[in-house]
Amino acid sequence: MAGQEPLNTYFEEAQEDEGGVTEHRFEEPGYLRKLLPSSASLYGEAYANLVEDQYKFIVPNLTYWKRSPNFFPYYMRTAPYGCLLYGLVEAALGVVNQTWISFPAAMELEGIVMDWLGQILSIPEQFQTFNARGELTGGGGVLENASGHAIYFTLVSAQRRALVKLREEHPELTDRDILSRMVAYTSDKVDLHALAGCPLPAHLIVHGVKSDDLGRLSCGDLVEAIAKHRATGRFPVYIMASLCLPNTFACDNIQEIGPLARQNKLWLHVYGSRTASSFVSSRWRAPMKGIELADSFEFNPCPDLISTLDCSCIWVQSLDEYVVSIGDAPVRYTVTCGDRKADDQHFERTLGRLFRSLKLWFLLRSYGVLGLRSAYQERCLLAKRFLYSVRRRPELIIMNRSNHLSFTTFRVRGKRALTERLLDDLVSTPYGAFFEMARGVHGRPAIQFFAKSLDSTEEDVKEAAKVLIEAVRQPTKTLNV
């Protein structure tokens, strides 16, 4: 195939480099604009010219992370072979995933693989397509492109569900008036706007409830906030509980929040964050207690369960309510498909959807339950090995020490500027890709280490720890603190 030879050469050179990471030939930002024409060519060019220029200008400035054991801070895109195969097959098939009739296998496979994954994580049967007696539950799983979109859709679902009831209770109010009085609740440690990654539903009021000493959503303060808002004419509609957010490492008590949400008829969404991947092992499922009281539960298997981006998994107890949140399709496209009564276009804001279920299908079949469990435990062991290597350093404060988490978060003792300077120093070294800045942890900047590569070993982790120990003294000396 034309163009294959230069790429093969590139891959071979990349593998020969230490750590599997190629050195950029063009290090100055803006290099490409100086090398390429300022406008598109008037006439079409030969494909051979495109391949030649790609290898000359584009490929040399790529960082080849695919098989690098030093792949720590960034999210995987095509590293697992199953995900790579998914990309090739989807492109070859020319998927038009809009409605059931346009691509029946996509919609049906999505329900199946989400049930598989739900069973692996021990998600309650009301979130599965069928219960233990083989009866339809009305619930099921949906694949979205990101956690932010899944959270956005649950917010809109909560608004729409509450709107039906509030129209009857307050006929004197317009829909706009009702929507403008709706309130969603989450912990004050959670920035819902940043987490959603997109504009929140119009008119929605987001109230941050004070967290307790452990960083968890305080049920007592939540009850007070709901009562206060109702007394002032507001309409509480939504609660988001979280399991081990990266900036708190706290798990909200679903067993306490669930009954409160049911009593007040609020939509309860549980954001699984980084903890949900640990549910592949039965010994780490304690935070999930009470999940059966939630309306929806979401997490992203990227990267802890070897998936790539664009594979956020959400389970809901009522697919009908989740579907209505997106909008109604024209009657000519609506198809009742056995166990799923809506078309895929209901689950996305865009016109069509990617064939994400194929990615998850390849992943689950190629690794199996035991393979996924083993891969996650291996990541946890690497994180623990890194922790053991740096935990006695007096300059560092370790933010999390849990055995079931696959990452280690830390900061420099003293002024917050020390942590920022340390990361700058690390990034300026050949090993700067080992680390990434975490979101504000307990109000302080922090650095996170996470071995995302499938090829990372204990030796790679020891090397990363050695680099950190060498660099950690520099900001302290520089800032003289």
Side-chain angles (χ1 to χ4, degrees):
M1 180 182 295
Q4 181 175 344
E5 291 78 9
L7 283 178
N8 287 340
T9 302
Y10 167 72
F11 291 147
E12 292 172 359
E13 293 175 353
Q15 291 285 20
E16 293 174 358
D17 284 348
E18 183 177 356
V21 183
T22 59
E23 181 179 356
H24 295 171
R25 301 181 188 177
F26 308 102
E27 297 181 354
E28 182 180 347
Y31 83 95
L32 192 59
R33 186 171 291 276
K34 299 176 183 178
L35 299 174
L36 297 182
S38 58
S39 59
S41 57
L42 183 60
Y43 299 101
E45 300 182 50
Y47 181 71
N49 294 343
L50 306 183
V51 173
E52 180 182 356
D53 286 351
Q54 168 190 285
Y55 187 65
K56 185 186 300 183
F57 302 128
I58 307 299
V59 172
N61 210 38
L62 299 177
T63 303
Y64 181 57
W65 287 112
K66 183 172 172 54
R67 306 302 300 172
S68 170
N70 298 332
F71 189 27
F72 295 141
Y74 305 111
Y75 290 110
M76 295 183 293
R77 295 305 300 261
T78 60
Y81 290 115
C83 296
L84 177 62
L85 182 61
Y86 148 76
L88 294 173
V89 173
E90 185 189 42
L93 293 178
V95 176
V96 182
N97 191 9
Q98 292 180 334
T99 65
W100 182 91
I101 198 65
S102 68
F103 209 86
M107 181 177 177
E108 299 200 16
L109 184 61
E110 184 164 335
I112 294 170
V113 296
M114 287 298 290
D115 283 348
W116 287 3
L117 184 57
Q119 294 163 11
I120 294 173
L121 303 179
S122 288
I123 302 297
E125 67 176 15
Q126 52 263 50
F127 290 100
Q128 308 275 342
T129 306
F130 295 95
N131 59 24
R133 298 181 298 277
E135 301 168 340
L136 284 171
T137 65
V142 179
L143 286 166
E144 302 291 1
N145 70 332
S147 296
H149 282 190
I151 292 172
Y152 175 87
F153 294 155
T154 59
L155 286 166
V156 179
S157 299
Q159 284 184 310
R160 293 289 180 88
R161 186 175 72 175
L163 184 61
V164 174
K165 178 183 176 182
L166 292 171
R167 280 170 178 163
E168 299 177 356
E169 296 179 353
H170 301 275
E172 74 281 3
L173 298 178
T174 64
D175 286 358
R176 184 182 181 86
D177 292 333
I178 295 174
L179 290 170
S180 65
R181 298 186 187 186
M182 290 184 177
V183 186
Y185 301 92
T186 187
S187 168
D188 60 356
K189 302 295 185 183
V190 177
D191 185 348
L192 197 56
H193 294 269
L195 193 60
C198 59
L200 297 180
H203 313 298
L204 182 68
I205 301 170
V206 178
H207 180 80
V209 180
K210 183 180 179 181
S211 55
D212 60 18
D213 295 337
L214 298 177
R216 301 176 304 181
L217 182 64
S218 173
C219 287
D221 290 326
L222 179 58
V223 171
E224 291 181 9
I226 292 174
K228 180 179 178 181
H229 281 121
R230 281 190 170 152
T232 57
R234 302 290 186 184
F235 303 130
V237 297
Y238 181 93
I239 302 174
M240 190 183 85
S242 306
L243 302 180
C244 193
L245 285 172
N247 62 335
T248 63
F249 312 115
C251 292
D252 294 334
N253 192 331
I254 311 301
Q255 288 180 298
E256 292 184 3
I257 300 174
L260 177 61
R262 288 290 179 93
Q263 179 182 353
N264 290 275
K265 299 181 180 180
L266 308 184
W267 185 291
L268 175 59
H269 176 66
V270 177
Y271 173 53
S273 187
R274 302 292 288 274
T275 294
S277 296
S278 67
F279 297 162
V280 294
S281 177
S282 58
R283 57 178 172 167
W284 291 330
R285 290 173 185 160
M288 194 167 52
K289 292 181 179 179
I291 195 70
E292 68 277 359
L293 300 174
D295 293 278
S296 54
F297 169 73
E298 180 271 335
F299 90 110
N300 198 322
C302 172
D304 289 311
L305 295 185
I306 325 177
S307 178
T308 57
L309 288 171
D310 193 26
C311 192
S312 183
C313 303
I314 179 170
W315 290 267
V316 293
Q317 292 209 27
S318 174
L319 277 174
D320 288 338
E321 291 179 340
Y322 191 71
V323 169
V324 170
S325 70
I326 309 306
D328 297 324
V331 175
R332 64 180 182 277
Y333 288 143
T334 301
V335 178
T336 299
C337 171
D339 55 358
R340 291 168 78 88
K341 299 180 180 180
D343 285 328
D344 274 2
Q345 68 181 48
H346 290 280
F347 301 130
E348 192 80 58
R349 291 187 299 173
T350 57
L351 180 59
R353 306 179 74 227
L354 295 175
F355 196 1
R356 300 185 185 98
S357 56
L358 188 65
K359 177 195 303 186
L360 198 56
W361 190 53
F362 285 144
L363 178 67
L364 295 179
R365 293 192 63 184
S366 59
Y367 280 89
V369 178
L370 296 180
L372 291 177
R373 188 175 299 160
S374 175
Y376 184 77
Q377 291 174 346
E378 177 65 25
R379 291 166 184 267
C380 292
L381 289 175
L382 291 177
K384 186 184 296 185
R385 181 64 61 188
F386 178 83
L387 173 63
Y388 286 166
S389 300
V390 303
R391 63 177 179 172
R392 298 189 184 279
R393 295 302 308 177
E395 304 94 338
L396 299 177
I397 296 177
I398 306 300
M399 312 295 289
N400 68 304
R401 298 176 180 270
S402 301
N403 292 330
H404 70 284
L405 296 179
S406 58
F407 59 93
T408 300
T409 305
F410 57 92
R411 65 178 177 86
V412 181
R413 192 182 303 276
K415 295 181 179 179
R416 59 186 301 149
L418 294 173
T419 302
E420 297 171 352
R421 177 59 185 272
L422 172 61
L423 184 64
D424 290 340
D425 290 347
L426 289 171
V427 169
S428 65
T429 71
Y431 302 97
F434 284 5
F435 309 94
E436 65 179 345
M437 181 67 77
R439 291 181 179 177
V441 179
H442 299 300
R444 301 289 298 270
I447 299 175
Q448 192 172 96
F449 172 86
F450 176 35
K452 296 184 177 72
S453 173
L454 301 178
D455 298 326
S456 297
T457 65
E458 288 191 12
E459 291 301 319
D460 300 314
V461 172
K462 288 179 181 179
E463 183 65 28
K466 186 187 302 183
V467 171
L468 172 63
I469 293 173
E470 275 301 312
V472 74
R473 304 186 185 97
Q474 183 61 34
T476 304
K477 294 179 180 179
T478 302
L479 296 177
N480 194 27
V481 176

